[in-house]
Amino acid sequence: MKAVQIMSYGAADVLRVNEVDRPAPGAGEVLVSVEATSVNGHDVIFRTGELKIVSGRRFPIGTGLDFAGTVAETGADVQGYRAGDRVWGIVHPRQRHVTAGAAEYVTVAANRISHAPAGLSSVGAASLVVAGATALIALRDSVHVAAGERVLVRGAAGGVGTAAVQLAHAMGGHVTALARDHHAELLTGLGADEVLDYRSTTSDRIGPFDVIVDTVGTELHRYRGRLAKGGRMVTVGLSLPALAAIAASSVHGPRRIRTFSANPGSALLSDVADHVTSGALRPVVDSMYPLAEIAAAHEAFERGGAVGKHVVTLSA
């Protein structure tokens, strides 16, 4: 089978589409025929070697954190899934040797998948797995958005941002989206009550907000200052400056900046699927690439400016 592998740490040109043996599911695992995957920040960080303390120096390393497809085979002790079921899921971050989600087949623990929403294409599903799960954890589990609260979403046009705008709206929040002004029509259609151009809007001239969801990872201390009394802020755009701001906020003042390690399982993925089924969450896809052009998809991700997700397809 074909699988994308990282042959050394570096730029996108270290990615190769290689022929490898098709894996077999072990006990408690499912073999999925992958139809689509997306490019996530986690994939880029692994490829560049920023997380080599986790991924090590043994090559090749698989890439592709998420996937959507159909069950090809189940291992022993797997219940609730059978061949032909449409599923989506997330590869465990440590499952990075040889192959991962960017491959024709992937084996994954059954507790890391759920049934994909009916009627959603594989491309749409792949665009929402990580983005939808991350946004739901941030809004529901980290900052506990309540109806009527004022919510700011930074980086609102990206994959997590577009999901966060939709979910915050569905939870009854009054949503302000911070993005480029030419994304205003799209973001309003997703549920934003107002859209501000981040290039001409300074943090000291907006708010205060009850909740801030940050997907950028910069100037966190400035935006933290725009929280109302009792306000909460969460960031998913991690960087060294962001980690420093998070640490400082836990010491100085009550409005600490929160973050989390998104490692969702079946229950959370089923919750995301429910939001899709209810109409509260829909995919936003910036571009699609065939597997052979996954390096171009990584390069597009790193350039930034995407509206939604870059998706890599493995089937027609």
Side-chain angles (χ1 to χ4, degrees), residues 16-278:
R16 295 285 185 276
V17 181
N18 294 328
E19 287 288 341
V20 302
D21 293 336
R22 171 174 153 171
E29 291 185 333
V30 173
L31 177 69
V32 177
S33 174
V34 179
E35 297 170 2
T37 182
S38 76
V39 181
N40 296 281
H42 194 277
D43 301 315
V44 173
I45 289 172
F46 257 82
R47 192 205 73 219
T48 59
E50 292 180 56
L51 285 180
K52 64 179 66 174
I53 191 171
V54 175
S55 52
R57 295 182 178 274
R58 189 179 72 185
F59 297 98
I61 301 172
T63 188
L65 184 61
D66 55 25
F67 58 88
T70 58
V71 174
E73 186 181 344
T74 59
D77 304 322
V78 171
Q79 298 180 351
Y81 300 100
R82 60 183 181 181
D85 285 353
R86 295 191 66 254
V87 296
W88 61 1
I90 297 177
V91 175
H92 194 284
R94 292 183 181 274
Q95 184 184 337
R96 290 288 174 162
H97 293 297
V98 186
T99 64
E104 290 183 311
Y105 291 90
V106 63
T107 53
V108 64
N111 62 8
R112 299 191 64 81
I113 65 173
S114 80
H115 291 94
L120 191 63
S121 70
S122 58
V123 168
S127 74
L128 279 176
V129 184
V130 167
T134 302
L136 187 59
I137 294 172
L139 289 162
R140 184 190 68 184
D141 302 334
S142 182
V143 295
H144 311 291
V145 171
E149 290 193 310
R150 296 156 294 178
V151 181
L152 174 69
V153 179
R154 285 190 74 206
V160 175
T162 51
V165 167
Q166 294 177 76
L167 291 174
H169 172 74
M171 294 172 184
H174 181 280
V175 184
T176 298
L178 201 56
R180 298 192 179 195
D181 56 2
H182 60 262
H183 299 322
E185 184 177 355
L186 167 71
L187 292 167
T188 300
L190 294 177
D193 295 283
E194 62 177 339
V195 180
L196 302 177
D197 191 330
Y198 77 88
R199 295 168 297 182
S200 58
T201 303
T202 58
S203 59
D204 60 347
R205 300 182 64 180
I206 58 175
F209 299 98
D210 301 299
V211 167
I212 297 177
V213 178
D214 170 79
T215 72
V216 182
T218 61
E219 297 185 284
L220 298 187
H221 65 290
R222 292 184 181 275
Y223 282 92
R224 176 180 175 238
R226 305 316 300 157
L227 286 172
K229 184 178 180 180
R232 294 91 66 204
M233 181 174 178
V234 60
T235 182
V236 300
L238 291 185
S239 61
L240 289 178
L243 292 173
I246 292 166
S249 75
S250 66
V251 176
H252 302 290
R255 302 179 183 89
R256 69 182 179 88
I257 303 169
R258 307 159 195 233
T259 190
F260 55 87
S261 176
N263 191 20
S266 298
L268 183 72
L269 294 174
S270 293
D271 290 344
V272 177
D274 288 343
H275 283 288
V276 175
T277 301
S278 72

Side-chain angles (χ1 to χ4, degrees), residues 275-296:
H275 283 288
V276 175
T277 301
S278 72
L281 183 62
R282 62 182 174 88
V284 180
V285 177
D286 183 277
S287 53
M288 293 184 290
Y289 298 81
L291 190 68
E293 297 177 16
I294 191 170

